[in-house]
């Protein structure tokens, strides 16, 4: 399910892409994606890496987390004028991306940029889950063939009244690159 409407005054890319459907997200997802100020959430995750040499090289290039049954994870979101900067930290090892509303062919999609790689994602609400479905991609702004489009099932949902995530990244030819799942809660501010 998705709803589109023009909300150019809204800077939050999730609110822009989802429009009125943002209000249909479970409360923990609205809390995570709804703030328009810097925020950090923390929790635990389980990480699985691909076993192939090429998947390990790609994981290393992008700074994806290493294999672990239980790792401390932190996500810091920083709103910017044209999007949202995300820094993910798995036991102190970080990797980041930049999210914004797509334009042109990517209209009504969320784009996520990891260095020179940009992926346009459809946000789809399905049975209480927010799914991230890759639609197209580019490297250094050069469109790449759809048959090589990275994929994997990735979604967010409410589990035990908390924000939970399940991210799988794979690619044709390469296979499984990395997957991580777990939960996040707002970081407690200490006086």
């Amino acid at each position: 399910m998705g709803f589109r409407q023009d909300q150019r005054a809204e800077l939050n890319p999730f609110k822009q892409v989802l429009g009125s459907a943002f209000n249909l997200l479970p409360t923990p997802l609205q809390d995570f994606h709804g703030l328009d100020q810097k925020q950090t959430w923390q929790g635990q995750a389980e990480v699985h890496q691909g076993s192939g040499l090429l998947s390990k090289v790609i994981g290393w290039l992008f700074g994806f987390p290493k294999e672990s049954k239980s790792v401390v994870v932190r996500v810091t979101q920083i709103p910017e004028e044209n999007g949202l900067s995300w820094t993910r930290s798995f036991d102190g090892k970080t990797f980041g991306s930049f999210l914004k509303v797509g334009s042109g062919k990517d209209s009504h999609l969320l784009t996520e940029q990891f260095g020179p790689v940009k992926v346009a994602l459809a946000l789809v609400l399905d049975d209480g889950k927010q799914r991230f479905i890759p639609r197209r991609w580019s490297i250094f702004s050069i469109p790449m063939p759809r048959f090589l489009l990275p994929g994997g099932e990735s979604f967010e949902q409410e589990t035990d009244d908390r924000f939970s995530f399940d991210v799988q990244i794979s690619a044709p030819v390469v296979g499984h690159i990395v997957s991580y799942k777990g939960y996040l809660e707002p970081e407690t501010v200490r006086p």
Side-chain angles (χ1 to χ4, degrees):
M1 170 189 313
F3 299 88
R4 296 180 181 155
Q5 67 186 49
D6 189 51
Q7 294 186 337
R8 299 295 172 213
E10 175 62 60
L11 295 177
N12 182 304
F14 285 89
K15 289 180 180 178
Q16 281 188 52
V17 171
L18 289 171
S20 61
F22 184 87
N23 297 322
L24 301 176
L25 290 173
T27 301
L29 276 66
Q30 287 186 41
D31 292 345
F32 181 79
H33 293 300
L35 293 179
D36 294 322
Q37 59 190 14
K38 181 180 177 179
Q39 63 173 332
T40 298
W41 286 48
Q42 62 185 357
Q44 292 286 132
E46 180 178 345
V47 181
H48 296 283
Q49 288 184 314
S51 58
L53 178 61
L54 193 50
S55 68
K56 288 186 182 296
V57 169
I58 291 170
W60 175 79
L61 284 172
F62 285 94
F64 291 144
K66 298 205 179 292
E67 184 98 13
S68 177
K69 289 203 181 285
S70 180
V71 62
V72 174
V73 62
R74 295 177 78 216
V75 177
T76 300
Q77 302 181 60
I78 302 172
E80 298 182 18
E81 187 174 328
N82 60 346
L84 188 61
S85 174
W86 273 16
T87 301
R88 300 159 183 90
S89 171
F90 289 79
D91 267 350
K93 182 172 176 15
T94 64
F95 72 98
S97 64
F98 189 78
L99 299 99
K100 68 179 186 176
V101 176
S103 60
K105 287 184 179 181
D106 295 334
S107 288
H108 306 294
L109 299 174
L110 179 75
T111 63
E112 185 165 16
Q113 183 131 11
F114 298 88
V117 176
K118 180 171 76 172
V119 180
L121 304 160
L123 300 180
V124 177
L125 304 184
D126 176 31
D127 196 28
K129 295 180 180 177
Q130 176 170 250
R131 296 186 182 280
F132 294 78
I133 302 173
R135 295 294 189 215
R136 60 183 58 84
W137 70 306
S138 63
I139 299 176
F140 293 110
S141 298
I142 300 168
M144 294 287 110
R146 187 171 174 88
F147 72 90
L148 293 176
L149 178 67
E153 177 145 351
S154 296
F155 60 88
E156 301 167 341
Q157 66 182 354
E158 177 180 1
T159 306
D160 299 327
D161 297 322
R162 294 191 290 206
F163 175 93
S164 66
F165 56 89
D166 192 329
V167 175
Q168 301 171 20
I169 301 172
S170 61
V173 180
V174 177
H176 177 248
I177 298 169
V178 69
S179 57
Y180 46 93
K181 64 181 179 177
Y183 71 88
L184 293 169
E185 298 173 311
E187 188 170 71
T188 305
V189 178
R190 296 185 182 123

